[in-house]
Amino acid sequence: MQEQGLVVDKKKAKKNITENYRSFLTALPFIGPFLLLIILFYFTPVILTLIMSLTGMDFTLEWKFSGLENYIKLFHDQNVELVIINTIKYVVFTLVINVGFGFLLAIATGYFIKDENVGLLFQTIWMLPRMTPAVIYALLWLWFLDPTEVGMLNILSGKLFVLPPQNWILNHPMGVVIIANGMIGASLGMVVFSAAIKSIPIDYFQAASVDGASDWDIIRHVIIPFLKWPIMFMTIWQTLSLITSYEYILLLTDGGPLNKSEVWSLFSYHKAFSNYEFGYGAAISVVLVIIAIIIALIMLKLFGYEAMMNRGKIKV
């Protein structure tokens, strides 16, 4: 009997493999172009970066194999500790603004503002920084934070709190890049969370109101449970995005002063394109990719991604 059971299991396994293979061949014409794009523009650069990290490539662009020398150099680099601390501060605090403030904006525009046109107008205004080119957005911040007496923030702080003019970027470089990036990310979170709130059936809100629930109760027991998936998506997406982003930091502070706002991705950029240490910059990037993958896996586990996906499956 046991042998017959094993034979049946093998036949079922073989049948499943055959069906999966046929399904893959059927879907291949549809997913083939996208697979090709992923291979060309993701896997190929990653492999080339990995190979480059094992070389001592400099401004001569020669592929001089050096083994693990770049990784050993990274381990002994005196700036690494400060860069790691800066990166953690930047990712954590900006993520709080991106997701937390984006959620509050979504609640304000998607729940409390009942007129849909007014809510859309408010969301469009908040989306303007995201639609603005990065250079112009950075220039607006530099104008706002101008260290002279005519700087907008210095004028406001002088009028409201009688404070003398100060150089905000020089004194608070990390705070500046966190707020500037946070405002951009919050607009995306607002749009995603607002759409999710609009998709909640109106019956839930009406039933909660009939039961005497307050707005706070509705947010806690109706909106937040329905928004678990969008919150998970935005948290993972923004975390990975922040780990690899540096353009606004480059434009606002360039990692300074004295590396006080230098984050890991910008550190890699500076080594590769300012110091022309392409091999060393590639090694820093490889470490960044590994860290990003580990963080993504941990966050998927914490949010219960597998259980959430299984709940959506329809068993026949």
Side-chain angles (χ1 to χ4, degrees), residues 56-218:
M57 182 182 286
D58 52 18
F59 64 94
T60 61
L61 300 181
E62 294 180 3
W63 294 75
K64 296 174 287 188
F65 183 75
S66 59
L68 299 175
E69 186 177 318
N70 288 323
Y71 294 95
I72 297 171
K73 180 180 178 181
L74 178 62
F75 187 75
H76 293 94
D77 195 318
Q78 294 180 346
N79 294 317
V80 166
E81 183 179 353
L82 178 60
V83 171
I84 290 174
I85 294 172
N86 287 341
T87 305
I88 293 172
K89 286 181 183 176
Y90 169 67
V91 172
V92 171
F93 289 108
T94 310
L95 184 66
V96 169
I97 298 175
N98 288 352
V99 178
F101 191 51
F103 179 78
L104 294 178
L105 288 172
I107 292 291
T109 58
Y111 175 69
F112 285 109
I113 298 179
K114 303 301 179 186
D115 190 329
E116 193 167 336
N117 291 328
V118 176
L120 285 174
L121 176 63
F122 190 79
Q123 291 176 8
T124 304
I125 293 172
W126 265 99
M127 286 296 292
L128 286 176
R130 181 165 288 277
M131 294 185 284
T132 304
V135 174
I136 295 177
Y137 181 70
L139 283 174
L140 288 173
W141 272 99
L142 291 175
W143 167 77
F144 182 72
L145 301 170
D146 190 289
T148 64
E149 293 179 351
V150 296
M152 180 57 71
L153 188 55
N154 280 334
I155 292 176
L156 291 175
S157 61
K159 295 285 185 185
L160 297 175
F161 306 106
V162 198
L163 294 176
Q166 61 173 301
N167 193 328
W168 298 93
I169 294 178
L170 185 67
N171 297 334
H172 311 283
M174 186 53 71
V176 169
V177 297
I178 287 173
I179 294 174
N181 280 274
M183 293 298 106
I184 287 280
S187 60
L188 178 62
M190 174 191 65
V191 172
V192 172
F193 296 145
S194 297
I197 291 173
K198 293 295 181 186
S199 68
I200 300 174
I202 193 68
D203 297 345
Y204 286 90
F205 295 107
Q206 292 174 343
S209 298
V210 170
D211 290 341
S214 63
D215 289 328
W216 172 239
D217 292 330
I218 292 175

Side-chain angles (χ1 to χ4, degrees), residues 95 99 103 192-193 196 224-240 295-309 311:
L95 184 66
V99 178
F103 179 78
V192 172
F193 296 145
I224 291 179
F226 270 97
L227 262 61
K228 185 178 179 182
W229 173 263
I231 291 172
M232 183 199 78
F233 168 75
M234 286 305 302
T235 303
I236 296 175
W237 174 274
Q238 294 287 16
T239 302
L240 298 180
I295 290 176
L297 293 175
I298 292 173
M299 295 185 82
L300 288 173
K301 188 72 175 176
L302 289 176
F303 277 102
Y305 175 79
E306 189 175 354
M308 195 180 296
M309 293 300 291
R311 281 202 299 271

Side-chain angles (χ1 to χ4, degrees), residues 250-305:
L250 176 69
L251 292 169
L252 288 170
T253 66
D254 197 21
L258 300 175
N259 291 331
K260 288 182 179 178
S261 60
E262 183 91 342
V263 297
W264 196 267
S265 53
L266 185 60
F267 186 49
S268 171
Y269 172 85
H270 279 148
K271 290 299 178 186
F273 298 103
S274 296
N275 300 349
Y276 300 105
E277 298 176 87
F278 295 108
Y280 188 41
I284 299 170
S285 297
V286 169
V287 173
L288 181 66
V289 171
I290 294 171
I291 292 172
I293 293 173
I294 293 172
I295 290 176
L297 293 175
I298 292 173
M299 295 185 82
L300 288 173
K301 188 72 175 176
L302 289 176
F303 277 102
Y305 175 79

